[in-house]
Amino acid sequence: MTTPGQMQSEKSSTSSGQLLLAVGCVARRICGHIGWCQGQQPSPSQKPLVMVNSSPTCLEPATCDPAEVNWKGKWGLWESRAEDALEMKEQVKGIAYFVRLGFGGEEVRGCFSTRAAALAFQAQELQRHFGWPKQPLVPEPERSPIWDHPEELEALKEYSFHEPAASRAEALAARSKKAKKSDRGLVSESGSNALTEAQLRQYSDRGFLLGLPVLEPEELVDVLREFEELLHSRIHNAPSAEARFRAAHTISRPLHQSLVSRLARHEKILAIVEGILGPQFVCWSAHLFCKLPGDPTEQPWHQDAGFWPLTQSRAITLWLAFDDVDASNSSVTYVEGSHRLARLPWQPTASEHCLLTAEIPDVDLLGPFVASVLGAGEASVHADLTVHGSCGNSSDRRRAGLALRFVSTQAECLGPMINGYRMNGGCILPKGKASDPQGHWRSLRRRPGGNRAPRFPKDAANAEDPPIQVHP
C-alpha cells in the first residue's frame, strides 16, 4: 500500500496553495481556437488508453490505495458510496472523494477526504500533463439567468463519465426478458439497430460518436418539408440580417410539437440512446438549430454538464442532421478525450456573436479537435462532459439539425434552473412508467394545439428582436 508520505514525495512539484491561487485571466481567443475557426483539419484520433495505476500526489493525502477502489467504469470526480470499495476495509470507508482522469495514454487515480483536495489534485494533474491552463484563471463568471442553475446546487453535482459497458449489460438483460417480442423503443432481437461493441468502445474512448444512420430517404423528405415550413414562418419577415440569423439559429420547440415528438421517439434514435444509457431513460429537452449562410454566431467551448442541475453526469445529446454538415459550414467540433477530465472551469468570453457568455479556455491543450461530418439523416451523439463548440458559418451552405437531450433516470434533477425551468417537469418517457420506475421524471402533458404565430409579423419591420433563450 502506498503511504501518504510516499504519495507526497512521488511527483509533487506544485503546492496546493499555488494551485488554488493559480487563478487568472486568459486571452479571449487562443491560437488553437483561432485555427479551429479558420477551418483547421481535425487531428488524428487518440491512441488507445494505456491503463496506468498512477499513485497520486495527494495534496491532502487519503489513507487508501487506489488499487483497492472499484472504479466501475467511471471517470472524473465523485463522492464515495459503499459500493466504491472492493473490500470495505476501515481505511476505505473514511474516504469521501475519488478522482480518475485520463490524459491521452495515461490514467491517474486518487482518493481524498475533502472535495477541495480532490479538485486541487485535478488542477495539479491538468497542469502537469497538459500545461493547462496557459495562464492563471480569473474567478468564474456569474451564472447566466437564461441557461444555468443556481450556484448552491453546484456542490451537490457529480461530474463523472460512465462507460456504456454496464448500461449495455442492463439493456441486454432487459431485452432477454422480452425475447421475440417487438416493443417500440427497444432494439430488435437481431440487434440490427444497436451500437456495436466497437462503437461503444469508441464512445468510451473519445466521448462522442459520428455518422450514425437514422432517417431513411423518404423520412428525411418529410422531416425537411416540416422544418422548411417552420423556418419560413420564423424568418421571412425578419427586419434585418441579424434578426434573421437569430430567429433561425435556435428554434426552441417543446417536445409536444409534432416534428420533435416524433423524432424523439424514433426507433433508431432510442436504440442508440439505450446502447449508451441503458434501458431506463427519458428525453427531457430538444432544440432545432439552424445556422444560415453567413451567420456569425459562435457556440464557445463548453461542457453541457456544467449547465444542468443533475445528481450525476448521465446525460447525452443526439444531434440529428437535416443538412449535410462538416467543418466548412460550422459543424460541431469536439475535443477528443475531454470527457475523462471531470468538469473544467469557465472563463468569460468576449466574442461579439455567441449564445454563451463563458467558455472553457485553452482547449487546444486538452486533446485533438474532431469536426463532425454528417450526411443529412445521420446523427452524432456526445456525452455531457465532452468539450465541444462551433464557429460562425462563413460558407454559402446552411447547417440545420435537431438536438435531442436524453438522461438516464439513475440521475435526478436537483432543482430548477435560475429561470425556473425544471428538467424533470415534462419529458418523453419512451417506455412509459418503465422508463422511470421511481417516478422522478414527469411525463409530458398534452397541450392545446394550434399553429405558432410568426416570429416577425408583417407590421413588425422596426420591432426590436427579442432575446433568444436556449438550454445549451
Side-chain angles (χ1 to χ4, degrees):
M1 177 182 296
T2 305
T3 66
Q6 290 172 326
M7 296 167 76
Q8 182 67 35
S9 62
E10 282 183 352
K11 50 183 184 177
S12 176
S13 60
T14 307
S15 69
S16 59
Q18 289 173 317
L19 285 167
L20 296 176
L21 290 174
V23 221
C25 209
V26 71
R28 178 179 73 85
R29 283 292 176 265
I30 57 177
C31 294
H33 193 164
I34 294 173
W36 162 65
C37 286
Q38 291 177 344
Q40 179 180 3
Q41 291 299 313
S43 301
S45 299
Q46 286 178 297
K47 296 179 181 179
L49 184 70
V50 177
M51 309 301 280
V52 178
N53 188 19
S54 174
S55 298
T57 303
C58 289
L59 303 174
E60 182 179 327
T63 56
C64 87
D65 185 338
E68 296 177 348
V69 177
N70 180 6
W71 300 95
K72 300 184 307 180
K74 293 172 67 173
W75 299 81
L77 188 156
W78 66 94
E79 191 172 2
S80 66
R81 300 180 180 87
E83 65 269 20
D84 288 325
L86 290 173
E87 298 178 8
M88 286 306 296
K89 299 178 181 179
E90 197 61 35
Q91 65 266 31
V92 177
K93 291 181 181 179
I95 304 307
Y97 293 92
F98 297 113
V99 181
R100 184 189 185 195
L101 307 173
F103 297 96
E106 185 177 352
E107 171 186 338
V108 296
R109 303 176 180 183
C111 313
F112 304 90
S113 57
T114 67
R115 180 183 179 91
L119 289 170
F121 174 69
Q122 178 203 19
Q124 171 185 283
E125 294 302 303
L126 284 166
Q127 183 61 228
R128 187 172 74 88
H129 287 270
F130 288 155
W132 189 94
K134 294 177 181 177
Q135 299 183 29
L137 306 174
V138 300
E140 293 195 29
E142 292 185 5
R143 295 180 178 272
S144 167
I146 297 175
W147 44 259
D148 215 334
H149 61 74
E151 179 64 33
E152 57 266 26
L153 300 182
E154 184 65 28
L156 304 178
K157 298 171 64 176
E158 174 186 297
Y159 291 105
S160 63
F161 171 78
H162 293 237
E163 293 182 350
S167 300
R168 176 78 163 178
E170 294 173 5
L172 291 172
R175 287 197 293 274
S176 67
K177 295 179 181 180
K178 298 179 178 289
K180 298 182 180 180
K181 291 184 179 180
S182 176
D183 185 356
R184 186 171 182 80
L186 291 177
V187 180
S188 65
E189 188 179 7
S190 66
S192 58
N193 293 334
L195 298 174
T196 65
E197 294 298 332
Q199 287 174 317
L200 291 172
R201 175 46 53 193
Q202 185 181 57
Y203 176 80
S204 293
D205 292 343
R206 307 179 83 188
F208 58 89
L209 287 172
L210 304 176
L212 303 172
V214 173
L215 298 179
E216 299 295 335
E218 58 274 16
E219 293 179 298
L220 180 61
V221 169
D222 291 340
V223 166
L224 285 174
R225 184 186 67 252
E226 292 185 58
F227 176 73
E228 297 289 357
E229 292 174 356
L230 173 60
L231 181 63
H232 179 74
S233 72
R234 298 273 295 180
I235 69 174
H236 79 288
N237 285 323
S240 66
E242 182 178 358
R244 187 168 176 266
F245 290 148
R246 295 184 67 192
H249 186 271
T250 307
I251 307 173
S252 178
R253 299 291 284 174
L255 294 175
H256 64 267
Q257 295 294 326
S258 175
L259 173 60
V260 174
S261 177
R262 187 170 73 253
L263 291 174
R265 292 179 170 89
H266 195 285
E267 184 177 12
K268 290 184 180 179
I269 288 177
L270 296 181
I272 293 169
V273 175
E274 183 172 330
I276 294 173
L277 295 180
Q280 295 179 353
F281 60 88
V282 301
C283 180
W284 69 271
S285 174
H287 274 89
L288 288 160
F289 289 101
C290 179
K291 281 191 181 181
L292 298 174
D295 184 350
T297 306
E298 295 181 20
Q299 190 77 305
W301 298 107
H302 65 282
Q303 294 167 303
D304 296 334
F307 303 118
W308 299 338
L310 293 171
T311 54
Q312 302 179 59
S313 301
R314 298 299 304 275
I316 62 174
T317 296
L318 184 141
W319 203 95
L320 178 61
F322 294 167
D323 301 322
D324 293 340
V325 300
D326 52 43
S328 67
N329 65 340
S330 184
S331 67
V332 176
T333 297
Y334 303 101
V335 181
E336 187 172 353
S338 55
H339 62 304
R340 288 176 165 175
L341 300 175
R343 181 185 181 270
L344 298 167
W346 305 96
Q347 294 289 271
T349 179
S351 175
E352 296 180 3
H353 304 281
C354 62
L355 291 178
L356 307 179
T357 58
E359 67 180 341
I360 297 170
D362 300 331
V363 292
D364 60 324
L365 301 177
L366 300 176
F369 294 164
V370 179
S372 179
V373 178
L374 301 173
E378 292 183 336
S380 65
V381 61
H382 67 264
D384 55 2
L385 282 169
T386 301
V387 178
H388 61 287
S390 65
C391 296
N393 184 6
S394 59
S395 77
D396 59 359
R397 297 164 52 218
R398 187 184 72 180
R399 190 213 72 171
L402 171 65
L404 293 168
R405 303 186 180 96
F406 297 88
V407 61
S408 165
T409 54
Q410 293 182 13
E412 293 187 356
C413 177
L414 290 166
M417 310 284 273
I418 295 175
N419 64 6
Y421 176 79
R422 284 185 173 271
M423 292 176 64
N424 65 328
C427 311
I428 289 178
L429 280 63
K431 303 173 193 174
K433 293 182 179 179
S435 295
D436 179 26
Q438 291 75 32
H440 176 78
W441 298 87
R442 300 171 187 170
S443 181
L444 189 72
R445 293 183 178 181
R446 290 186 176 274
R447 296 182 185 180
N451 295 326
R452 281 193 169 194
R455 171 89 169 189
F456 300 103
K458 292 182 179 180
D459 59 352
N462 298 318
E464 182 181 354
D465 186 33
I468 291 174
Q469 295 196 13
V470 56
H471 303 293

